[in-house]
Amino acid sequence: MARIAKMASIVAVSVLASSVDAAELPKVADPSFAAFLPSFIEGTKRFMEGDATLWKQNAAHSEDAIIMGAWGAYEKGWKEEVSDRYDWAVQRFQDSEADLEIEYLNAMTSGDLAFTTAIEHARVKLAGQNEAKPMTLRATQVFRKENGQWKLILRHADPLIAKIATEAVLTK
């Protein structure tokens, strides 16, 4: 247990993607992961502006890559599924100079694996809209070090909603 406490600290901080300050990032044991996070945050912001280039560079291009995105369903495997899903999802946004604030709830590194859990607060313009509107997602991400570089292996994000009734989770 003490080892886990040394490897991670539970934090709730806000990070503005346009001006990422190292003091605002979650504290993690691996300095290479801390150095990677600003690029990942910038990639997230650009994604919400309709550009998936940096996001896809930061993602694992492997058959165990998984996306469980905010618009439902899931895909697994880079070549046939995940890459196409990112292309499909980014088309739902249009350039709006999205505002993004990330509230990290937890982050941890252990060897070649890392994860973050966060609330992403953004103002985005979706395709077909004339003005930016708020979007808040719960996001859990798992990263793996590949050839010395951190890569996103799993993203699970969905809209932050209020607690719901017990039976509301049942499939109809």
Side-chain angles (χ1 to χ4, degrees):
M1 202 61 155
R3 181 172 179 243
I4 292 173
K6 287 181 184 177
M7 292 189 319
S9 61
I10 299 173
V11 293
V13 297
S14 296
V15 177
L16 295 175
S18 60
S19 60
V20 177
D21 181 348
E24 298 172 320
L25 293 171
K27 306 292 186 251
V28 292
D30 187 321
S32 69
F33 185 68
F36 163 77
L37 277 176
S39 174
F40 184 75
I41 294 166
E42 182 62 27
T44 303
K45 182 180 184 300
R46 289 183 192 177
F47 195 97
M48 292 176 178
E49 294 172 343
D51 178 3
T53 306
L54 183 56
W55 179 274
K56 290 174 82 172
Q57 288 172 0
N58 286 330
H61 294 196
S62 60
E63 290 311 302
D64 58 352
I66 299 172
I67 175 65
M68 301 174 113
W71 285 293
Y74 71 94
E75 274 74 39
K76 180 179 179 187
W78 179 257
K79 282 185 183 178
E80 302 286 326
E81 303 286 335
V82 173
S83 179
D84 289 348
R85 171 64 179 257
Y86 289 148
D87 292 338
W88 172 83
V90 80
Q91 291 175 17
R92 292 177 167 231
F93 294 101
Q94 56 182 326
D95 190 1
S96 60
E97 297 183 12
D99 291 326
L100 172 63
E101 184 178 317
I102 300 177
E103 178 185 351
Y104 283 100
L105 304 176
N106 200 352
M108 180 185 290
T109 60
S110 180
D112 288 346
L113 292 175
F115 77 87
T116 62
T117 54
I119 306 297
E120 298 175 352
H121 304 276
R123 288 194 59 78
V124 299
K125 192 185 294 184
L126 296 179
Q129 291 185 336
N130 294 324
E131 63 184 72
K133 296 190 177 177
M135 178 180 76
T136 304
L137 301 177
R138 303 182 308 171
T140 300
Q141 288 138 160
V142 177
F143 303 88
R144 178 174 59 211
K145 198 180 283 188
E146 298 179 350
N147 300 318
Q149 300 292 314
W150 286 101
K151 298 293 182 176
L152 175 69
I153 192 71
L154 163 72
R155 175 170 167 92
H156 183 200
D158 55 19
L160 178 64
I161 61 172
K163 291 179 183 174
I164 59 176
T166 303
E167 64 279 356
V169 299
L170 299 176
T171 305
K172 296 180 183 197

